Amino acid sequence: MDVSDVPQEPKDFKEGEKLKKLVYAVGKDGKYTGVTSAGWDAENFAMKQAWDDIEENLAATLAKVKNGTVSPIAYYMQKNLMELSLLAKYAGKWQWQVTRHMKPEVFAKLDRAMLDVYAGIFNITVEEMINFGKERSNNG
Amino acid sequence: MDKEFKHYQHAHCESGVTANMLRHEGIDISEPMAFGIGSGIFFGHLPFLKVGGIPGTTYRLWPGAIFKKVANRLDIKVHTEKFSSPANAMKALDTALAEGRPTGILGSVFYLPYLPEAFRFHFNAHNFIAYGKQGSKYLISDPIMEGLSDITPEDLVKARFAKGTPEPRGFMYYITGTPKQINLAAGIEKGIKQTCNFMLNTPLPWFGNSAIFLLANRIKDYPHKLPPRKAALYLGNVIRMQEEIGTGGAGFRYLYAAFLQEAGIHLRRDDLQEFSAQLTKIGDGWRNFAYNAARIMKVRNTGVVSYDELSALLRVCGEEEKIFFTNLGKLKW
């Protein structure tokens, strides 16, 4: 790739425009040099697509929290880009236990210590977590 | 002792950290040179190792390899340490910083707030340097960033003790001694030989040159085996690994071509420069593959023809690299 061909197509989502990364390209003298690039359409699209997928899944889970099929833990797990296996590791629980905690009726009975653990992992307060998805605060 | 730390932006985190740490010790080395001596370039496709339900693809050697190989090959003494407790890990870092040692740190990008959100996934093998403290904050030189950053101790602990695969467990490293004379020539030779060996002689189908053909075959199957949305996400992940932060373009191929050119100049060898030019062309082929993959993703086109064509483009990259690394491996030293 020639220096003049280094794409400068900004990533205009999720602060992506804040970082100009370095790529290596060939200058007029035939020598390689580092050039900063705002981004490239092909990679921007791939990245945006991954985020869109996350957000679509998140919206679906939000709806489930609201209609009472899953607990807020399911929502915050996805919001923190975690899979069940990873959340279980952070929580120090088995995966089947975390799966149970995603049932609203089990979640309602979790003790304070367990709620603290989850709130800590998600970097929110326990109150935010237990009230999430209820009528008055639904903007996660 | 308290020599001012100089930050240079680089393409890739680990070769960038390596170059910046060596430069701090007065060893004039570029990122491409560190990357090549550290045998950084590679290829791997792991259909069974899924992250977020998507098969893994890599264009580089496993994390930690570059720094270790460069240190070995240039006779640089390093201290590395892992920890079982965050408190000990932070204490050891504070001690190293108090001694004036810029310290390499392994951590998860998810917990580095100075990075734009777009890049922050649970990727646990990111490398950066802590070079000092200001109040309670740690001063950070992250080679993929244009400038310097800082981070709170709370966030730094989270990054250093992220869970998942791999777990950094507070891993940190710094240089303890450098030789009087740096023998780049020997490092270049070892680096190139091992790269050719890894690329061509790895017996497992998921690693090295043969894995390019494995991926090409899989891509051909995507429209038959996957729903359109999944197929696009699979392809997208390959492109992200190839072009997103930290490869320098074309999945490290340009970075390695830059190394071969610099090695050719250093050793006064025209043949290395010729190899560099060849790899630049191969890199352009990888870019073309990414460009066409994005085209297909955009229209969610699961037409069999377009996936067949994409697979064919990838095969050409694989075939050209096979010839390239075979010839590079035959170099006389």
Side-chain angles (χ1 to χ4, degrees):
Chain A
M1 180 170 60
D2 290 339
V3 167
S4 55
D5 293 332
V6 173
Q8 301 292 351
E9 293 148 4
K11 285 188 178 45
D12 51 0
F13 56 93
K14 302 241 172 219
E15 314 172 313
E17 71 286 343
K18 273 176 35 186
L19 176 57
K20 283 194 173 181
K21 60 180 185 168
L22 197 78
V23 299
Y24 285 88
V26 181
K28 281 207 180 103
D29 57 358
K31 287 224 174 96
Y32 261 98
T33 179
V35 184
T36 51
S37 163
W40 181 32
D41 191 39
E43 73 188 37
N44 295 353
F45 183 82
M47 200 183 210
K48 181 77 166 52
Q49 175 184 262
W51 278 108
D52 287 348
D53 184 62
I54 288 165
E55 270 155 23
E56 280 169 37
N57 289 332
L58 199 57
T61 306
L62 174 63
K64 284 188 192 167
V65 176
K66 281 188 175 170
N67 70 23
T69 12
V70 297
S71 82
I73 289 175
Y75 175 85
Y76 282 110
M77 175 180 84
Q78 285 181 8
K79 189 162 173 62
N80 284 275
L81 314 183
M82 292 181 174
E83 295 181 283
L84 179 62
S85 55
L86 186 58
L87 178 57
K89 271 188 194 164
Y90 273 106
K93 293 281 160 193
W94 298 102
Q95 293 188 23
W96 63 266
Q97 292 175 298
V98 175
T99 306
R100 276 190 77 239
H101 298 168
M102 290 182 190
K103 293 184 177 172
E105 63 276 17
V106 179
F107 178 73
K109 287 183 206 155
L110 286 182
D111 61 27
R112 182 75 195 191
M114 196 65 239
L115 290 173
D116 277 336
V117 169
Y118 280 119
I121 295 167
F122 301 140
N123 203 16
I124 50 174
T125 65
V126 169
E127 283 62 40
E128 261 178 273
M129 185 167 67
I130 53 183
N131 290 325
F132 179 77
K134 293 187 179 161
E135 285 310 312
R136 44 194 182 74
S137 72
N138 56 6
N139 45 359
Chain B
M1 220 31 176
D2 278 314
K3 195 165 36 169
E4 192 195 344
F5 185 81
K6 269 204 170 144
H7 170 86
Y8 302 88
Q9 186 186 19
H10 294 300
H12 174 56
C13 67
E14 193 177 332
S15 48
V17 161
T18 305
N20 281 346
M21 280 174 71
L22 289 177
R23 282 182 187 180
H24 185 76
E25 300 297 326
I27 298 164
D28 185 24
I29 190 169
S30 69
E31 177 186 27
M33 192 55 89
F35 185 76
I37 292 175
S39 302
I41 195 170
F42 196 50
F43 189 83
H45 181 65
L46 302 132
F48 50 86
L49 191 91
K50 289 189 177 167
V51 179
I54 294 169
T57 305
T58 181
Y59 288 79
R60 50 155 295 181
L61 221 50
W62 53 88
I66 297 172
F67 181 77
K68 212 166 126 187
K69 287 177 193 296
V70 169
N72 267 334
R73 288 171 185 167
L74 297 182
D75 209 12
I76 289 155
K77 293 196 173 48
V78 297
H79 174 83
T80 65
E81 206 171 352
K82 270 189 181 181
F83 303 86
S84 50
S85 96
N88 287 345
M90 296 307 277
K91 212 166 91 188
L93 176 59
D94 285 349
T95 308
L97 293 177
E99 288 166 355
R101 304 179 191 279
T103 302
I105 291 176
L106 190 67
S108 164
V109 293
F110 188 77
Y111 298 105
L112 302 177
Y114 62 78
L115 290 177
E117 194 190 349
F119 298 99
R120 286 167 57 198
F121 286 84
H122 290 279
F123 172 69
N124 287 357
H126 186 58
N127 288 272
F128 51 96
I129 297 172
Y131 68 94
K133 273 182 99 168
Q134 200 162 53
S136 67
K137 278 194 170 179
Y138 288 83
L139 303 174
I140 301 296
S141 157
D142 188 322
I144 67 165
M145 302 287 287
E146 285 174 275
L148 293 161
S149 319
D150 58 29
I151 190 169
T152 64
E154 294 78 20
D155 285 326
L156 186 55
V157 166
K158 281 187 188 167
R160 296 182 73 190
F161 283 86
K163 297 200 189 294
T165 324
E167 298 201 345
R169 287 169 40 210
F171 185 72
M172 60 177 236
Y173 49 98
Y174 51 77
I175 294 171
T176 54
T178 52
K180 284 206 177 72
Q181 203 92 53
I182 287 285
N183 187 353
L184 284 183
I188 291 167
E189 181 185 340
K190 280 181 195 156
I192 289 178
K193 280 183 175 167
Q194 192 178 45
T195 287
C196 296
N197 189 26
F198 280 178
M199 278 290 192
L200 300 172
N201 300 327
T202 307
L204 300 168
W206 310 289
F207 301 106
N209 181 261
S210 49
I212 300 175
F213 299 97
L214 170 72
L215 176 60
N217 290 340
R218 294 275 166 161
I219 286 177
K220 218 175 151 94
D221 279 345
Y222 284 174
H224 304 292
K225 296 201 167 158
L226 299 169
R229 176 192 171 103
K230 200 94 191 174
L233 284 170
Y234 276 31
L235 263 191
N237 192 59
V238 174
I239 304 317
R240 288 174 61 202
M241 293 305 117
Q242 184 184 312
E243 300 296 340
E244 213 177 85
I245 219 65
T247 78
F252 300 102
R253 269 57 189 166
Y254 294 144
L255 181 50
Y256 200 74
F259 156 68
L260 291 173
Q261 183 180 68
E262 201 184 321
I265 293 166
H266 183 78
L267 302 174
R268 302 204 176 123
R269 288 186 68 149
D270 291 342
D271 49 2
L272 282 173
Q273 304 236 40
E274 175 52 33
F275 277 113
S276 168
Q278 284 177 25
L279 188 57
T280 302
K281 272 211 165 132
I282 293 172
D284 292 343
W286 282 102
R287 294 282 280 190
N288 188 40
F289 162 73
Y291 173 82
N292 282 287
R295 244 186 30 180
I296 291 176
M297 290 186 292
K298 276 184 187 170
V299 293
R300 294 235 167 133
N301 182 345
T302 42
V304 174
V305 175
S306 50
Y307 275 83
D308 276 356
E309 281 167 355
L310 200 60
S311 169
L313 284 177
L314 191 54
R315 289 195 81 85
V316 172
C317 293
E319 277 154 14
E320 286 178 353
E321 286 200 356
K322 188 167 189 179
I323 297 166
F324 174 82
F325 286 109
T326 304
N327 291 336
L328 187 65
K330 285 183 190 153
L331 273 184
K332 297 271 173 290
W333 296 91

